[in-house]
């Protein structure tokens, strides 16, 4: 860092925050008078190393109580880290939880003027600042004369967003703000965030709306139990978080082994046909951990057949919440398309352009008798892989589509 290069706009190094939890209200008083700790520390955040760059919109995702708001408050300067360092270059404005920073008994107008003064808006510029906040919020003057405790959450957020962004901060911290307010105001707020990004300002954005995080943020971090467990390109981080959330919600038991070599067929050694090996081939190699949407993919299945009787193969792709996404078998297309013969047999299922969107998946494989009814051997939840989609479509699968727009 030099005088001409102020360094990253936001930098956290080994930052952690422990809240003080008092078992009884009296313990707080005792602590003051007895001058010895009467609280339990609750570590809401630990070991956070994070650097944001100028002009980036950075997303934070994580489940309730993960520590996201705590991190935002450290950056906003409303909390101090218990350990480590938090450094923010330039003016920071924050939209934290509803009500933070505003005095409920004061009017909207007084609160806005106070916010301007706190953010060092020069006295001669306060009128202009106030006017720009009012214009952006679109709240009538009569409303601005009322105490903010009488505002609806939407009205409150309109004023808070307008006041925080009108100070033209270098770093803008937003906690869930965009989920409040009507569509018109959400659109205005998003436009303002875009403008911030384009004018080289840094935005730290936390939301449970993963569509918004994907749309707005180039990079993101997933906070889990107070620690950063994933940090990088938004699509990768959000996909990993979504997979975790699905597994948690569905209480899935993901018993998938780490590689194809780790699974064993369930059939007895005497079974007429046994699975020997399964591999996934893409242009990136064999058994990749990541498949990109639209890549050509081959699932190659090797079996050992001990009898000359025909048999069939079945393959299903399942998501990590155990939902079958797609299943097929050799006898589905042609009843006589069986495999036959004694010895090693290799078959492949080829998907020219893999249509699944971002998510975590694994394979289920079945060897079936000539009727397709009896399972001779099987392996479930094997070769787990992650799909990443570079485009912005969301959901489970990419459907061929086109937009027809008025000319
Ligand atoms: N003032 C406080 N005193 C004590 N514990 C707190 C305080 N604020 C937050 N916590 C605790 O710290 C942990 C992290 O909370 P935080 O609000 O940062 O989570 P979050 O990820 O923002 O959650 P949410 O998505 O629900 O807003 C939680 O266990 C929470 O109960």
């Amino acid at each position: 860092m030099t005088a001409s290069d102020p360094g990253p706009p936001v930098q956290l190094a080994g930052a952690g925050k422990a809240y003080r939890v008092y078992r009884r209200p009296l313990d707080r008083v005792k602590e003051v008078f007895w001058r010895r700790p009467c609280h339990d520390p609750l570590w809401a955040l630990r070991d956070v190393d994070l650097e944001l760059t100028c002009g980036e919109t950075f997303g934070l995702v994580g489940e309730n109580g993960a520590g996201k708001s705590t991190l935002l408050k450290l950056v906003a300067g409303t909390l101090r880290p218990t350990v480590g360092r938090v450094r923010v270059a330039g003016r920071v404005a924050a939209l934290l939880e509803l009500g933070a920073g505003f005095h409920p008994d004061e009017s909207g107008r007084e609160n806005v003027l106070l916010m301007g003064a706190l953010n060092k808006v020069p006295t001669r510029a306060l009128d202009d600042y106030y006017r720009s906040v009012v214009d952006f919020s679109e709240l009538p003057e009569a409303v601005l004369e009322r105490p903010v405790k009488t505002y609806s959450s939407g009205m409150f957020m309109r004023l808070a967003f307008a006041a925080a962004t009108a100070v033209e901060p270098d770093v803008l911290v937003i906690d869930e703000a965009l989920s409040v307010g009507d569509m018109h105001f959400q659109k205005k707020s998003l436009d303002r965030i875009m403008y911030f990004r384009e004018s080289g300002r840094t935005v730290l954005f936390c939301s449970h709306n993963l569509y918004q995080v994907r749309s707005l943020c180039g990079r993101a971090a997933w906070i889990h139990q107070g620690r950063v467990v994933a940090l990088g390109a938004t699509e990768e981080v959000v996909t990993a978080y979504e997979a975790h959330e699905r597994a948690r919600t569905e209480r899935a038991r993901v018993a998938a082994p780490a590689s194809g070599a780790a699974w064993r067929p369930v059939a007895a050694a005497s079974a007429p046909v046994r699975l020997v090996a399964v591999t996934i081939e893409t242009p990136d190699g064999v058994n990749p951990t990541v498949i990109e949407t639209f890549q050509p993919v081959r699932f190659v299945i090797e079996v050992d057949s001990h009898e000359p009787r025909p048999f069939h193969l079945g393959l299903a792709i399942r998501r990590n919440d155990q939902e079958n996404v797609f299943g097929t078998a050799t006898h589905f297309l042609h009843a006589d398309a069986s495999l036959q013969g004694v010895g090693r047999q290799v078959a492949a299922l080829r998907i020219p352009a893999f249509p699944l969107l971002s998510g975590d998946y694994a394979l289920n494989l079945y060897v079936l008798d000539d009727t397709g009814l009896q399972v001779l051997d099987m392996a479930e939840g094997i070769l787990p892989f992650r799909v990443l989609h570079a485009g912005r479509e969301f959901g489970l699968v990419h459907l061929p589509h086109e937009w027809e727009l008025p000319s």
Side-chain angles (χ1 to χ4, degrees), residues 270-288:
S270 59
V273 190
R274 296 183 77 207
L275 281 167
V276 176
V278 187
T279 46
I280 304 176
E281 294 176 2
T282 73
D284 293 333
V286 175
N287 293 346

Side-chain angles (χ1 to χ4, degrees), residues 266-304:
V266 297
S270 59
V273 190
R274 296 183 77 207
L275 281 167
V276 176
V278 187
T279 46
I280 304 176
E281 294 176 2
T282 73
D284 293 333
V286 175
N287 293 346
T289 47
V290 172
I291 295 176
E292 286 166 33
T293 305
F294 304 135
Q295 270 191 325
V297 178
R298 279 179 90 229
F299 299 103
V300 183
I301 307 159
E302 275 184 58
V303 297
D304 256 345

Side-chain angles (χ1 to χ4, degrees), residues 61-284:
V61 297
E63 56 203 42
N64 290 132
K68 305 178 298 294
S69 302
T70 303
L71 199 160
L72 295 183
K73 286 175 191 163
L74 291 179
V75 173
T78 58
L79 281 181
R80 295 166 73 86
T82 312
V83 292
R85 205 159 46 86
V86 177
R87 191 185 147 275
V88 179
R91 178 184 278 179
V92 56
L95 270 149
L96 299 173
E97 68 255 327
L98 271 181
F102 272 35
H103 294 281
D105 293 319
E106 303 291 349
S107 69
R109 189 174 61 80
E110 280 154 343
N111 268 298
V112 170
L113 291 174
L114 191 64
M115 174 87 90
L118 284 174
N119 280 289
K120 302 193 175 62
V121 176
T123 315
R124 65 191 142 67
L126 269 180
D127 274 352
D128 286 347
Y129 168 73
Y130 178 68
R131 193 49 30 220
S132 73
V133 173
V134 173
D135 289 348
F136 190 85
S137 74
E138 297 179 29
L139 291 175
E141 287 289 350
V143 169
L144 289 157
E145 295 306 326
R146 281 174 18 201
V148 295
K149 68 181 177 193
T150 66
Y151 289 15
S152 70
S153 57
M155 287 155 74
F156 182 88
M157 196 43 85
R158 279 158 69 159
L159 194 64
F161 186 91
T165 53
V167 297
E168 297 275 334
D170 301 295
V171 176
L172 178 63
V173 175
I174 307 176
D175 194 356
E176 280 296 343
L178 299 184
S179 51
V180 187
D182 57 24
M183 298 293 273
H184 166 72
F185 196 75
Q186 282 190 17
K187 160 90 179 77
K188 267 180 87 165
S189 309
L190 283 169
D191 284 348
R192 189 163 264 195
I193 292 174
M194 297 292 201
Y195 154 75
F196 266 59
R197 190 167 66 181
E198 274 143 33
S199 56
R201 259 66 80 72
T202 306
V203 182
L204 180 56
F205 177 71
C206 164
S207 178
H208 288 286
N209 182 332
L210 300 180
Y211 177 75
Q212 278 180 352
V213 175
R214 279 190 160 105
S215 308
L216 283 172
C217 307
R219 289 197 307 147
W222 167 20
I223 315 276
H224 184 62
Q225 295 177 349
R227 293 180 192 270
V228 176
V229 292
L231 192 157
T234 299
E235 187 59 25
E236 278 176 43
V237 172
V238 173
T239 299
Y241 171 58
E242 279 177 330
H244 163 84
E245 281 294 277
R246 263 200 310 274
R248 189 167 76 102
T249 310
E250 304 293 329
R251 298 188 187 285
R253 285 188 307 110
V254 184
S259 78
W263 62 272
R264 274 192 221 97
V266 297
S270 59
V273 190
R274 296 183 77 207
L275 281 167
V276 176
V278 187
T279 46
I280 304 176
E281 294 176 2
T282 73
D284 293 333

